[in-house]
Amino acid sequence: YRDAQDECKRAKQKLISFLLCQGFVWNEKTSKGTLKGTFTRDWWRWVGTINFEEDSANETLAYYVRRVKEAQAEAQQMKALIEQAAQEQRHAPYVDALCCLKGVSTTSAFAARTEFADFTRFSSGRKVSCWMGTTPSNNSSGEKEAHGHITKAGNSYMRRTLVEGVSTIGTWKKPSKVKEHSGSVSAAVEAMAADANARLLCRYKHLVGDNHLHPNKAKVAVVSEL
């Protein structure tokens, strides 16, 4: 699924780059003056109005448009397969429980289930952070101790997936989340997830608001605690 997403992203970038090279820039704005998003209905409608004098340019545009739509269809197909596999009895309890956490979707929960395999192989949350490479590097010499950037020495797939999941934490209003799971989750698990959501949101606000930490660094810190 990640490969399909990356392929879709590359196809979109190539299409936008081609349009920019030809002098076509998307500049439609909303009533509030903000720039409208790309690859929306309005954006596709705008692309449909583009017509070059040379047939070769039109054919090239059609090729890039076709590649984007094919890549999007493939990504959606892979997502559907993941959601189907997540409903299997051996995966559903873990996926349903993880989906109680904000920023965790069915696809990212299933990724955690498959990447972790056996959750009990980690004796602490700190070891999980080390495994994902979200812990800060440590440069110690004698009595001096200095912490640097995160190690990035662990599972890059899970690190990227979870960081992208909390990318919108700055707009979270409440720690509650609409349940995405279809199976049964115990009240204890739901309560634990609710406490975790509230704690992570509070930590992010503290790091950004009180400590004036860069939002991206704060998100990585939130993932490390998650």
Side-chain angles (χ1 to χ4, degrees):
Y1 177 60
R2 172 64 67 184
D3 291 340
Q5 282 185 314
D6 290 342
E7 185 63 30
C8 184
K9 182 178 180 180
R10 285 191 290 269
K12 289 179 177 180
Q13 289 175 337
K14 290 179 179 179
L15 173 56
I16 291 178
S17 297
F18 173 74
L19 292 175
L20 288 176
C21 289
Q22 300 300 322
F24 290 91
V25 180
W26 172 251
N27 198 30
E28 293 293 329
K29 296 183 179 180
T30 64
S31 57
K32 296 182 180 180
T34 58
L35 185 66
K36 291 184 177 180
T38 55
F39 298 98
T40 59
R41 290 183 179 179
D42 291 340
W43 188 87
W44 279 116
R45 193 178 298 113
W46 171 73
V47 172
T49 62
I50 297 176
N51 187 35
F52 299 99
E53 294 181 359
E54 298 181 358
D55 292 338
S56 58
N58 288 320
E59 292 175 359
T60 303
L61 175 61
Y63 166 78
Y64 283 126
V65 169
R66 185 169 62 254
R67 283 299 304 129
V68 170
K69 293 185 177 181
E70 289 175 352
Q72 286 178 326
E74 291 172 354
Q76 289 296 325
Q77 183 180 5
M78 293 301 299
K79 183 178 180 180
L81 291 174
I82 290 176
E83 292 176 347
Q84 181 179 355
Q87 296 176 3
E88 296 180 6
Q89 186 175 1
R90 57 175 177 160
H91 301 308
Y94 300 96
V95 174
D96 290 348
L98 290 172
C99 281
C100 292
L101 295 167
K102 294 200 72 170
V104 178
S105 63
T106 301
T107 54
S108 56
F110 185 76
R113 165 59 175 159
T114 54
E115 292 292 324
F116 278 87
D118 181 10
F119 287 93
T120 61
R121 66 192 178 100
F122 296 100
S123 59
S124 67
R126 175 58 58 183
K127 291 185 177 180
V128 176
S129 298
C130 293
W131 176 72
M132 290 197 303
T134 57
T135 54
S137 57
N138 191 326
N139 299 315
S140 301
S141 177
E143 297 180 354
K144 296 181 179 180
E145 185 175 355
H147 295 284
H149 300 290
I150 59 173
T151 62
K152 295 185 179 181
N155 191 305
S156 60
Y157 179 81
M158 278 308 306
R159 182 173 64 250
R160 176 182 172 184
T161 298
L162 294 180
V163 170
E164 288 179 352
V166 300
S167 60
T168 59
I169 190 173
T171 61
W172 290 2
K173 300 299 181 182
K174 298 179 180 180
S176 60
K177 175 185 178 182
V178 177
K179 300 176 184 177
E180 294 184 6
H181 56 79
S182 57
S184 59
V185 176
S186 67
V189 170
E190 289 187 344
M192 184 182 297
D195 290 341
N197 292 333
R199 177 177 175 175
L200 295 175
L201 180 58
C202 181
R203 178 162 177 76
Y204 177 80
K205 290 182 177 180
H206 169 70
L207 292 173
V208 175
D210 300 334
N211 292 357
H212 306 290
L213 192 67
H214 191 280
N216 290 342
K217 292 184 179 180
K219 291 171 186 176
V220 174
V222 167
V223 169
S224 183
E225 187 158 344
L226 172 65

